[in-house]
Amino acid sequence: MPKRTAARVEPRAGALTEGGPVPSKGRRSFLRQGLAMAGTALASGAVGTGVARATPLPVPPSNQSMGRPIPQQMYGMPSKYEAHVFRERSSVFKNRQNFSDWSMTPLQHQTGILTPNGLHFERHHAGTPDIDPATHRLVIHGMVKQPLVFTMEDITRYPSVSKFYFLECSGNTLTDWIKAASPTVQQSHGLLSCTQWTGIPVSWLLDEAGLLPGAKWVAFEGADGAAHTRSIPLEKVLDDCLLVYGQGGEMLRPEQGYPLRLFIPGWEGNVSVKWLRRIKVGDQPWYFRSETARYTDPMPGGKWRQFSFVMECKSVITYPSGGMKLKGPGLYEIQGFAWSGRGKIKAVDVTVDGGRTWQEAQLEEPVFDKCLTRFRFRWNWNGAPAVIASRAVDSTGYVQPTVEQIGKVRALTGFVQHHNGIFPWSVSSSGEVKNAVA
């Protein structure tokens, strides 16, 4: 575990930094100082910071006519002015077929910690099946006293639980270990989403079936064309794993595993098996292909690590991020997300000088266990080239490492997953923001 070596400096109201005074934490202070920075533009009648002066607003056409009529029935959609916000397949690591691939969440446009269902990232191994919940069945067998079969109606009759958790693919950020490959944060970190999951603990159904002595592992199998299957330690299954049928206030969408999926909090996304149809209890792992080839990690000396389930503490700045352009020197609020598969986010530090110094960011409530945490940091940019990055600390004391630190304990070669290293963005003197991975 890397040690946190850089000193943390608490930003003080009125303290001078490279670009001038840092505003206090109050919203009014931030707006007042923003106005002062844009005073010339405002005096001429322009709106430089989005803060209106006492000039009467013209009456817009929307005030002078009726809006669209209310449909009898419909499924609501975002405004047509938000059409630029969409999930997108990777343009960095391209697959040449349309069945085993991923679509990435536009994190730069996410306003809170919850990802809209239509923007939640996807990962498939054999496309998206359409499964009729009326005919779908879940079986539990293996080292149990009584094998059982459940319908969806059986499962949804149990009292439900709802939890907020992030979900991250183990391949998130794998294209940007030692060179800049992804132009935007959607392409570098978009295999990450967060929502409220609704279902029942797996332990409830295992209790119904009754575990036999010696049971230690559980296999979960999906009903997709790949029959994606993973072995999970029984201890974790009994601790907090869920059988999920609801997501973000509605039933699962087909691409998220409708009508039933496994959800394992804090672990790599591929173990949360979608379209779940079978649970088998055993005394050892099954060593499926996903456990001997695909989801393994290269290590020093030519060895490979198996069952590296946990997604370690990580963070990324989403504003400003790659592809954006700052309008000029002045006050900006750096924003981003932090998360940890081992617990809550305890702190996030931000650097604006390429890692020479770090200052503590403000965490936005709520801060939940194994959930996205939003952070904010006020920056008075003086217009000089800068390199910004974030560094998260979780409730276990684990500090997000640099790629150099990860490279001392793992082999960064080939198709390397579990990249939780500090990720930099550069800001040029013209305000252009780019991927700054060396």
Side-chain angles (χ1 to χ4, degrees):
M1 178 182 299
K3 294 182 178 179
R4 200 182 193 195
T5 54
R8 184 187 303 168
V9 180
E10 182 69 24
R12 294 175 288 109
L16 290 176
T17 65
E18 60 178 35
V22 174
S24 68
K25 294 182 177 180
R27 177 175 58 85
R28 290 178 180 273
S29 173
F30 184 84
L31 294 177
R32 280 199 302 272
Q33 295 184 55
L35 280 168
M37 298 292 291
T40 302
L42 288 169
S44 65
V47 179
T49 63
V51 181
R53 286 291 180 90
T55 304
L57 290 173
V59 179
S62 60
N63 275 141
Q64 304 175 53
S65 61
M66 301 295 286
R68 284 183 278 110
I70 302 171
Q72 190 66 31
Q73 294 179 326
M74 70 174 296
Y75 195 99
M77 300 296 290
S79 165
K80 63 181 181 182
Y81 300 107
E82 298 299 318
H84 60 288
V85 181
F86 47 79
R87 196 165 48 201
E88 186 173 21
R89 287 176 64 177
S90 173
S91 58
V92 178
F93 187 85
K94 293 182 179 179
N95 279 326
R96 297 182 179 179
Q97 41 71 40
N98 297 316
F99 298 101
S100 178
D101 203 359
W102 48 52
S103 292
M104 313 179 87
T105 295
L107 295 174
Q108 69 273 32
H109 297 301
Q110 184 170 317
T111 57
I113 61 172
L114 300 183
T115 308
N117 287 346
L119 298 177
H120 197 289
F121 84 86
E122 301 175 43
R123 174 69 174 101
H124 308 303
H125 298 88
T128 303
D130 286 309
I131 298 175
D132 184 351
T135 59
H136 188 67
R137 298 290 183 271
L138 173 69
V139 63
I140 298 179
H141 67 129
M143 295 181 66
V144 295
K145 296 175 183 176
Q146 177 61 56
L148 297 172
V149 178
F150 296 87
T151 66
M152 285 305 300
E153 184 178 1
D154 294 333
I155 292 170
T156 55
R157 286 184 65 183
Y158 281 87
S160 65
V161 298
S162 294
K163 303 282 188 179
F164 293 96
Y165 290 125
F166 79 84
L167 182 66
E168 183 182 19
C169 175
S170 59
N172 202 23
T173 325
L174 67 76
T175 56
D176 295 81
W177 278 98
I178 55 177
K179 64 178 182 180
S182 301
T184 70
V185 72
Q186 180 173 9
Q187 292 162 306
S188 65
H189 290 74
L191 296 176
L192 168 73
S193 297
C194 183
T195 192
Q196 185 185 45
W197 304 95
T198 298
I200 64 173
V202 182
S203 60
W204 291 4
L205 299 192
L206 291 180
D207 185 57
E208 297 268 17
L211 295 170
L212 292 175
K216 294 182 178 179
W217 286 78
V218 184
F220 294 88
E221 181 183 281
D224 58 325
H228 180 62
T229 315
R230 291 302 311 261
S231 305
I232 307 299
L234 178 61
E235 182 180 11
K236 176 67 173 177
V237 174
L238 297 179
D239 179 29
D240 59 2
C241 294
L242 301 174
L243 294 174
V244 168
Y245 50 79
Q247 175 186 347
E250 63 181 10
M251 301 303 281
L252 289 170
R253 295 192 174 193
E255 62 269 30
Q256 299 301 335
Y258 182 87
L260 185 68
R261 72 178 297 172
L262 173 68
F263 188 85
I264 302 185
W267 285 18
E268 58 186 10
N270 71 80
V271 297
S272 290
V273 177
K274 297 189 285 189
W275 312 291
L276 188 67
R277 65 179 293 271
R278 190 162 71 98
I279 298 175
K280 184 176 183 179
V281 182
D283 59 358
Q284 57 185 330
W286 281 260
Y287 298 105
F288 299 113
R289 174 175 177 272
S290 293
E291 297 157 357
T292 56
R294 182 182 292 273
Y295 296 110
T296 57
D297 303 316
M299 303 296 283
K303 296 183 178 181
W304 288 75
R305 181 175 66 181
Q306 292 179 295
F307 303 119
S308 50
F309 297 121
V310 177
M311 301 308 292
E312 301 283 10
C313 184
K314 186 173 176 180
S315 69
V316 67
I317 290 173
T318 57
Y319 178 82
S321 59
M324 297 181 182
K325 184 174 183 179
L326 302 183
K327 292 184 177 179
L331 296 174
Y332 292 92
E333 186 174 67
I334 293 175
Q335 302 174 24
F337 295 113
W339 61 100
S340 172
R342 295 191 187 276
K344 293 183 178 180
I345 291 299
K346 181 179 179 182
V348 176
D349 296 330
V350 168
T351 179
V352 295
D353 57 13
R356 292 199 302 275
T357 62
W358 295 85
Q359 301 183 67
E360 188 168 356
Q362 181 181 3
L363 303 185
E364 182 178 288
E365 295 289 343
V367 179
F368 291 144
D369 182 68
K370 302 179 182 65
C371 186
L372 286 192
T373 296
R374 195 171 182 85
F375 64 86
R376 302 175 180 276
F377 177 81
R378 291 172 183 176
W379 179 37
N380 190 2
W381 181 45
N382 63 6
V387 176
I388 61 175
S390 60
R391 178 181 64 186
V393 184
D394 71 15
S395 52
T396 71
Y398 179 94
V399 181
Q400 183 181 359
T402 63
V403 170
E404 182 181 18
Q405 289 171 318
I406 298 174
K408 292 179 180 178
V409 294
R410 295 175 57 194
L412 304 185
T413 179
F415 198 78
V416 188
Q417 306 189 62
H418 288 274
H419 181 348
N420 70 314
I422 292 171
F423 193 94
W425 302 107
S426 66
V427 182
S428 71
S429 56
S430 65
E432 291 182 311
V433 185
K434 293 184 177 180
N435 185 332
V437 172

mmCIF file of all heavy atoms in Angstrom, residues 241-256:
data_model
loop_
_atom_site.group_PDB
_atom_site.id
_atom_site.type_symbol
_atom_site.label_atom_id
_atom_site.label_comp_id
_atom_site.label_asym_id
_atom_site.label_seq_id
_atom_site.Cartn_x
_atom_site.Cartn_y
_atom_site.Cartn_z
ATOM 1 N N CYS A 241 -23.800 -9.524 -0.840
ATOM 2 C CA CYS A 241 -24.199 -9.673 -2.249
ATOM 3 C C CYS A 241 -25.723 -9.665 -2.386
ATOM 4 O O CYS A 241 -26.437 -10.197 -1.543
ATOM 5 C CB CYS A 241 -23.621 -10.964 -2.833
ATOM 6 S SG CYS A 241 -21.825 -10.920 -2.930
ATOM 7 N N LEU A 242 -26.179 -9.076 -3.486
ATOM 8 C CA LEU A 242 -27.614 -8.909 -3.725
ATOM 9 C C LEU A 242 -28.050 -9.591 -5.011
ATOM 10 O O LEU A 242 -27.286 -9.661 -5.982
ATOM 11 C CB LEU A 242 -27.962 -7.421 -3.826
ATOM 12 C CG LEU A 242 -27.648 -6.537 -2.614
ATOM 13 C CD1 LEU A 242 -27.924 -5.078 -2.959
ATOM 14 C CD2 LEU A 242 -28.463 -6.964 -1.401
ATOM 15 N N LEU A 243 -29.290 -10.066 -5.024
ATOM 16 C CA LEU A 243 -29.967 -10.442 -6.260
ATOM 17 C C LEU A 243 -30.825 -9.243 -6.641
ATOM 18 O O LEU A 243 -31.777 -8.903 -5.944
ATOM 19 C CB LEU A 243 -30.835 -11.684 -6.053
ATOM 20 C CG LEU A 243 -30.082 -12.978 -5.730
ATOM 21 C CD1 LEU A 243 -31.069 -14.092 -5.413
ATOM 22 C CD2 LEU A 243 -29.198 -13.366 -6.906
ATOM 23 N N VAL A 244 -30.476 -8.604 -7.743
ATOM 24 C CA VAL A 244 -31.049 -7.306 -8.080
ATOM 25 C C VAL A 244 -32.020 -7.414 -9.243
ATOM 26 O O VAL A 244 -31.718 -8.045 -10.252
ATOM 27 C CB VAL A 244 -29.898 -6.324 -8.435
ATOM 28 C CG1 VAL A 244 -30.446 -5.078 -9.075
ATOM 29 C CG2 VAL A 244 -29.099 -5.981 -7.202
ATOM 30 N N TYR A 245 -33.194 -6.784 -9.084
ATOM 31 C CA TYR A 245 -34.136 -6.678 -10.197
ATOM 32 C C TYR A 245 -34.525 -5.214 -10.462
ATOM 33 O O TYR A 245 -35.167 -4.918 -11.460
ATOM 34 C CB TYR A 245 -35.388 -7.524 -9.953
ATOM 35 C CG TYR A 245 -36.044 -7.312 -8.604
ATOM 36 C CD1 TYR A 245 -36.853 -6.211 -8.360
ATOM 37 C CD2 TYR A 245 -35.831 -8.214 -7.562
ATOM 38 C CE1 TYR A 245 -37.446 -6.004 -7.128
ATOM 39 C CE2 TYR A 245 -36.419 -8.026 -6.318
ATOM 40 C CZ TYR A 245 -37.228 -6.923 -6.101
ATOM 41 O OH TYR A 245 -37.803 -6.730 -4.873
ATOM 42 N N GLY A 246 -34.153 -4.302 -9.557
ATOM 43 C CA GLY A 246 -34.467 -2.884 -9.720
ATOM 44 C C GLY A 246 -33.207 -2.039 -9.782
ATOM 45 O O GLY A 246 -32.202 -2.356 -9.131
ATOM 46 N N GLN A 247 -33.265 -0.965 -10.555
ATOM 47 C CA GLN A 247 -32.115 -0.063 -10.695
ATOM 48 C C GLN A 247 -32.615 1.348 -10.945
ATOM 49 O O GLN A 247 -33.400 1.580 -11.877
ATOM 50 C CB GLN A 247 -31.235 -0.503 -11.862
ATOM 51 C CG GLN A 247 -30.083 0.454 -12.164
ATOM 52 C CD GLN A 247 -29.305 0.068 -13.407
ATOM 53 O OE1 GLN A 247 -29.452 -1.025 -13.910
ATOM 54 N NE2 GLN A 247 -28.477 0.970 -13.901
ATOM 55 N N GLY A 248 -32.206 2.275 -10.104
ATOM 56 C CA GLY A 248 -32.545 3.678 -10.320
ATOM 57 C C GLY A 248 -34.038 3.930 -10.369
ATOM 58 O O GLY A 248 -34.500 4.775 -11.136
ATOM 59 N N GLY A 249 -34.825 3.211 -9.572
ATOM 60 C CA GLY A 249 -36.260 3.470 -9.491
ATOM 61 C C GLY A 249 -37.119 2.753 -10.506
ATOM 62 O O GLY A 249 -38.329 2.993 -10.569
ATOM 63 N N GLU A 250 -36.535 1.861 -11.311
ATOM 64 C CA GLU A 250 -37.315 1.085 -12.277
ATOM 65 C C GLU A 250 -36.721 -0.316 -12.362
ATOM 66 O O GLU A 250 -35.666 -0.592 -11.776
ATOM 67 C CB GLU A 250 -37.295 1.752 -13.657
ATOM 68 C CG GLU A 250 -35.916 1.832 -14.267
ATOM 69 C CD GLU A 250 -35.910 2.528 -15.624
ATOM 70 O OE1 GLU A 250 -36.937 3.112 -15.997
ATOM 71 O OE2 GLU A 250 -34.865 2.487 -16.303
ATOM 72 N N MET A 251 -37.396 -1.191 -13.054
ATOM 73 C CA MET A 251 -36.855 -2.533 -13.232
ATOM 74 C C MET A 251 -35.581 -2.439 -14.078
ATOM 75 O O MET A 251 -35.400 -1.517 -14.876
ATOM 76 C CB MET A 251 -37.889 -3.442 -13.908
ATOM 77 C CG MET A 251 -39.200 -3.583 -13.120
ATOM 78 S SD MET A 251 -38.968 -4.212 -11.422
ATOM 79 C CE MET A 251 -38.765 -5.967 -11.759
ATOM 80 N N LEU A 252 -34.689 -3.392 -13.902
ATOM 81 C CA LEU A 252 -33.456 -3.419 -14.687
ATOM 82 C C LEU A 252 -33.752 -3.256 -16.170
ATOM 83 O O LEU A 252 -34.774 -3.750 -16.666
ATOM 84 C CB LEU A 252 -32.735 -4.758 -14.493
ATOM 85 C CG LEU A 252 -32.082 -5.048 -13.154
ATOM 86 C CD1 LEU A 252 -31.652 -6.518 -13.112
ATOM 87 C CD2 LEU A 252 -30.882 -4.150 -12.913
ATOM 88 N N ARG A 253 -32.872 -2.599 -16.871
ATOM 89 C CA ARG A 253 -32.985 -2.562 -18.327
ATOM 90 C C ARG A 253 -32.292 -3.806 -18.907
ATOM 91 O O ARG A 253 -31.414 -4.383 -18.256
ATOM 92 C CB ARG A 253 -32.360 -1.274 -18.870
ATOM 93 C CG ARG A 253 -33.120 -0.037 -18.398
ATOM 94 C CD ARG A 253 -32.721 1.209 -19.118
ATOM 95 N NE ARG A 253 -33.569 2.319 -18.715
ATOM 96 C CZ ARG A 253 -33.623 3.475 -19.345
ATOM 97 N NH1 ARG A 253 -32.857 3.698 -20.411
ATOM 98 N NH2 ARG A 253 -34.425 4.435 -18.944
ATOM 99 N N PRO A 254 -32.681 -4.197 -20.127
ATOM 100 C CA PRO A 254 -32.093 -5.427 -20.701
ATOM 101 C C PRO A 254 -30.571 -5.430 -20.670
ATOM 102 O O PRO A 254 -29.954 -6.458 -20.333
ATOM 103 C CB PRO A 254 -32.634 -5.433 -22.133
ATOM 104 C CG PRO A 254 -33.943 -4.731 -22.034
ATOM 105 C CD PRO A 254 -33.722 -3.635 -21.007
ATOM 106 N N GLU A 255 -29.943 -4.301 -20.993
ATOM 107 C CA GLU A 255 -28.483 -4.277 -21.043
ATOM 108 C C GLU A 255 -27.844 -4.338 -19.667
ATOM 109 O O GLU A 255 -26.625 -4.515 -19.550
ATOM 110 C CB GLU A 255 -27.994 -3.028 -21.779
ATOM 111 C CG GLU A 255 -28.373 -1.714 -21.148
ATOM 112 C CD GLU A 255 -29.683 -1.148 -21.664
ATOM 113 O OE1 GLU A 255 -30.576 -1.940 -22.051
ATOM 114 O OE2 GLU A 255 -29.841 0.084 -21.678
ATOM 115 N N GLN A 256 -28.656 -4.188 -18.610
ATOM 116 C CA GLN A 256 -28.139 -4.292 -17.240
ATOM 117 C C GLN A 256 -28.536 -5.607 -16.568
ATOM 118 O O GLN A 256 -28.341 -5.770 -15.356
ATOM 119 C CB GLN A 256 -28.622 -3.106 -16.404
ATOM 120 C CG GLN A 256 -28.165 -1.753 -16.924
ATOM 121 C CD GLN A 256 -26.652 -1.616 -16.985
ATOM 122 O OE1 GLN A 256 -25.930 -2.293 -16.257
ATOM 123 N NE2 GLN A 256 -26.161 -0.749 -17.859
#
